[in-house]
Amino acid sequence: MPVCAVLGGQWGDEGKGKIVDVLAEKAHLTARFSGGNNAGHTVKNPYGTFKLHLVPSGICWPDCMGVIGNGVVVDPGALLEEIDGLKELGIDLEGRLLVSDRCHLVMPYHVVLDELAEAARGDQALGTTGKGIGPAYTDKAARIGIRAADLFDLESLYPRLERVMSHHNAIIEKVYESTPVSLEYVIGRCEDWASRMRPLVGAVEHVVYDAIGSGKMVLLEGAQGMMLDLDHGTYPYVTSSHPTIGGASTGLGLLPRDFDSILGVFKAYSTRVGSGPFLTELFDDTGDLIRELAEEFGTTTGRPRRVGWFDSVVARYSSRVNGYTSLVLTRLDVLDSLDNIRICVAYELDGERVEDFPGSVAVLQKCKPIYEDFPGWDSPTAGVTEIENLPEGALRYVQRLEELAGVRIDVISTGPYRHETITVRQVV
Ligand code: GDP
Ligand code: IMO
Ligand code: MG
């Protein structure tokens, strides 16, 4: 199974980092293909606890290389800081990390524009991570972006930066009535980054093609989740990239036929950070209990995550768009202390049963979840490593999720550490 994609099935934070760290034992390389440092992937293993934002999560395996594909937007300052932080924790990336020369860069003015646009939206704010991701992808689509390779040709970069920044600074000053970003400051940053980024930037696609060609395992690490996809998510409450399988293809230059397995990672319940529709959201004590038990606070921003029940309408839609070959269910252990667990099986809209996820946010806001109730289980699932040792109630819950999603659950995660994993069927 040379190419395996690990994708977020819901609204992000499903535990992709943990799963990639587990599967990377066999991988030649782990690759990011979309998003930027809006991602926060937590990896806990014998070397420590790592909060990764741009560096792929397989990197704790000493023979695993990390690559950042063309579809990712890279803030060089954030990347270099992350690399330094990892070195302090004992993970040396020297010669093991490659960033595509085609990656667009998140520049200081993107971060400023992100913050100003959010503030201007008032109570309509999207709740972005404030990392400049939307403005960086906007510039990419507008064909005024700066790419990693441009750092090594500073002479032709300067006049381009001057033009782009005069455009952005006009908006900052005239629309947002705020302080412009200094061109000298940005040029200074680019000069600093150029020398340190030089050994990190190269032709990622060749490294990936060579690995695939020689039958080595390539593990793709999704960021965000299906419901935050720019096209398929709950627009406009989405991120500005494609965390779905199509994004994996364009974000690394892979062919559709390259994918051998596509894993959809789902939490045993749901969470969402930031604004936007979330039909199964809990506003009661159970929601607070799950948030506290599971420490549901954003890895990147520290914001409390919104918590709700598992939504199988979302799971079916997510499976349809991504063509999952298996599902990975994480955080089952978080439900251990609950007496009653609910699954949303469909929605109700004006008295009609809706099985398919609506395209319009306005329609979605009128839908109500239809639930099935499950009694809790009497012994913990935390740390269980064999399917036979799951309590009967937990097994029934997992089987019902599988039935409703229409895809086999082949891996179940029962804790944040590598060994706290049940492999029902081998996925790589
Ligand atoms: P990602 O963005 O998809 O990589 O997920 P995050 O790292 O943002 O959030 C997932 C959180 O759940 C992290 O703190 C993980 O350490 C933790 N985690 C992952 N799998 C499990 C699990 O099965 N059980 C528990 N209790 N925690 C888990
Ligand atoms: P990982 O990879 C959860 C959300 C933000 C906001 C929306 C847009 O850790 O799963 P952006 O900064 O991307 O413009 O914000 O997307 N968001 C995430 N939510 N996990 C993430 O990444 C996220 N990355 C972005 O909260 O609602
Ligand atoms: Mg996360």
Side-chain angles (χ1 to χ4, degrees):
M1 289 249 176
V3 181
C4 170
V6 178
L7 306 179
Q10 296 155 309
W11 284 276
D13 303 327
E14 298 88 349
K16 299 174 291 293
K18 171 198 162 157
I19 299 305
V20 168
D21 177 52
V22 169
L23 300 179
E25 182 176 11
K26 298 181 186 165
H28 173 67
L29 65 84
T30 324
R32 280 278 307 270
F33 59 82
S34 69
N37 61 325
N38 48 352
H41 297 178
T42 312
V43 168
K44 293 188 180 187
N45 61 31
Y47 307 103
T49 296
F50 305 94
K51 304 223 175 264
L52 301 165
H53 300 286
L54 279 163
V55 171
S57 298
I59 214 75
C60 292
W61 295 98
D63 296 328
C64 187
M65 190 175 173
V67 308
I68 297 182
N70 58 278
V72 178
V73 288
V74 175
D75 178 332
L79 177 64
L80 295 169
E81 207 177 292
E82 191 171 334
I83 293 171
D84 292 344
L86 284 168
K87 194 163 185 186
E88 273 170 31
L89 294 172
I91 306 289
D92 193 346
L93 296 178
E94 179 115 28
R96 286 205 293 140
L97 182 69
L98 194 66
V99 178
S100 168
D101 46 10
R102 297 166 199 266
C103 281
H104 279 253
L105 301 183
V106 180
M107 301 298 259
Y109 45 85
H110 292 137
V111 178
V112 170
L113 286 165
D114 194 1
E115 282 163 3
L116 291 171
E118 275 289 87
R121 284 182 199 117
D123 60 5
Q124 303 292 304
L126 305 177
T128 72
T129 58
K131 300 292 179 189
I133 305 302
Y137 278 115
T138 303
D139 277 8
K140 173 177 176 174
R143 294 163 292 183
I144 55 170
I146 307 295
R147 305 202 294 178
D150 300 332
L151 285 177
F152 315 122
D153 182 7
L154 291 174
E155 251 174 56
S156 55
L157 177 61
Y158 295 149
R160 280 180 57 207
L161 259 182
E162 208 170 0
R163 266 198 310 278
V164 173
M165 285 189 64
S166 70
H167 167 80
H168 286 318
N169 274 333
I171 293 172
I172 291 173
E173 282 185 286
K174 299 202 168 85
V175 177
Y176 296 119
E177 296 175 349
S178 190
T179 319
V181 179
S182 140
L183 176 64
E184 289 68 39
Y185 169 73
V186 174
I187 286 176
R189 295 294 279 155
C190 290
E191 284 166 353
D192 291 346
W193 294 333
S195 58
R196 282 206 65 197
M197 289 293 286
R198 183 114 233 176
L200 295 174
V201 175
V204 155
E205 55 274 22
H206 293 298
V207 175
V208 177
Y209 298 156
D210 289 350
I212 296 174
S214 51
K216 290 178 179 157
M217 184 181 155
V218 170
L219 195 56
L220 311 186
E221 177 176 1
Q224 290 79 53
M226 153 73 197
M227 301 307 288
L228 293 172
D229 185 278
L230 184 57
D231 279 270
H232 302 289
T234 50
Y235 190 90
Y237 301 100
V238 290
T239 191
S240 299
S241 68
H242 299 285
T244 41
I245 194 66
S249 183
T250 53
L252 269 166
L254 294 178
L255 304 175
R257 65 165 184 249
D258 287 331
F259 299 101
D260 297 289
S261 48
I262 304 169
L263 312 184
V265 186
F266 285 80
K267 270 182 200 181
Y269 49 99
S270 307
T271 60
R272 171 162 208 172
V273 204
S275 322
F278 182 11
L279 265 72
T280 62
E281 184 165 10
L282 283 163
F283 297 98
D284 59 6
D285 292 348
T286 309
D288 293 340
L289 178 72
I290 296 177
R291 185 175 306 103
E292 294 307 320
L293 276 176
E295 295 174 38
E296 289 291 4
F297 296 90
T299 310
T300 300
T301 57
R303 291 178 291 176
R305 293 176 183 152
R306 299 158 67 193
V307 172
W309 299 117
F310 189 93
D311 186 337
S312 68
V313 182
V314 164
R316 281 192 295 275
Y317 174 50
S318 182
S319 303
R320 178 71 186 82
V321 171
N322 286 312
Y324 301 131
T325 52
S326 301
L327 301 190
V328 176
L329 191 70
T330 63
R331 301 203 125 196
L332 183 60
D333 54 297
V334 167
L335 304 180
D336 281 351
S337 55
L338 302 188
D339 296 330
N340 186 55
I341 300 163
R342 312 190 93 181
I343 305 177
C344 168
V345 291
Y347 301 153
E348 191 203 301
L349 175 66
D350 300 330
E352 302 282 320
R353 190 179 169 100
V354 174
E355 303 274 349
D356 298 321
F357 195 80
S360 143
V361 166
V363 173
L364 204 52
Q365 271 155 349
K366 285 198 262 165
C367 292
K368 293 199 173 49
I370 302 173
Y371 287 116
E372 256 176 34
D373 285 287
F374 279 77
W377 33 90
D378 44 17
S379 63
T381 66
V384 169
T385 56
E386 303 294 334
I387 188 89
E388 299 77 43
N389 296 338
L390 276 185
E392 190 65 30
L395 194 59
R396 267 202 301 273
Y397 179 70
V398 170
Q399 284 167 343
R400 185 64 180 136
L401 294 186
E402 189 170 66
E403 209 170 75
L404 287 164
V407 185
R408 283 188 332 213
I409 295 174
D410 285 339
V411 178
I412 303 168
S413 174
T414 57
Y417 289 95
R418 286 174 178 169
H419 67 278
E420 295 171 312
T421 307
I422 302 172
T423 304
V424 186
R425 291 175 203 87
Q426 287 297 334
V427 289
V428 290

